[in-house]
Each structure stands twice: as C-alpha cells, then as structure tokens.
Amino acid sequence: MNIKNIFLGAMALSMVSGVALAGALDEPDNMAPFFTDSGMKTMKPEADFKAAWASTAKDKQDMMMKECQDAAMSKPHAEFCANLMAYAGHK
C-alpha cells in the first residue's frame, strides 16, 4: 500500500511541476505575433518584431524578459531571446 501511495504522489508531483515549468515563452498566443509562420520557425523582421513587442501587454513583456534572462528557461528559445534583448533592450 505504501509503494502505491508513493508512486501516486510522485506522479502527481511530476504533473504539477510540468505545468509549472511552462512559462510565457511556451505560450503560443504570446509568441505568435513575433513569427511569420504558424510553426513559429521564422521570426519577423526587426521592424515587425519591435511592433509586436510594443503591442504586447506590459505584464507579458515583463514575464518574457524575466524568462529570457534565466538561462534554463531561455535555452529552448535562444534565438528569440537574443532578438528580444537586442530589439527590446534590457529593462
């Protein structure tokens, strides 16, 4: 019985922590304005990127900047974060 409870607890914890790891950079609705394609492989040119950033809500901007400054969170989004830092600047 104890092994079953431990297993279920570990499984529940892994599911909860998996959701917690998803951030602003993992949300398609947040990222779509910065890309030209639905697969989000090709980023928009500088002017369009800046315009998309300017139209992004301040709270989302703050979350995205924070995640881009975190090495672990930004790794899968390295190219996007590099552009964000260059075009949007550090806050």
Side-chain angles (χ1 to χ4, degrees), residues 3-78:
I3 292 175
K4 182 180 176 184
N5 288 338
I6 291 171
F7 175 74
L8 290 174
M11 189 173 201
L13 182 61
S14 69
M15 287 199 281
V16 170
S17 66
V19 171
L21 293 176
L25 298 179
D26 295 320
E27 287 292 325
D29 290 343
N30 291 345
M31 300 298 283
F34 299 96
F35 292 88
T36 61
D37 57 333
S38 61
M40 291 188 259
K41 300 291 181 196
T42 307
M43 276 188 271
K44 290 184 175 180
E46 181 178 352
D48 294 337
F49 192 98
K50 284 182 178 181
W53 179 251
S55 67
T56 301
K58 175 81 169 96
D59 61 326
K60 288 184 183 179
Q61 286 182 352
D62 292 344
M63 288 188 308
M64 293 168 99
M65 288 295 287
K66 183 178 179 180
E67 288 179 24
C68 278
Q69 292 170 347
D70 181 318
M73 291 294 287
S74 67
K75 190 173 184 177
H77 308 283

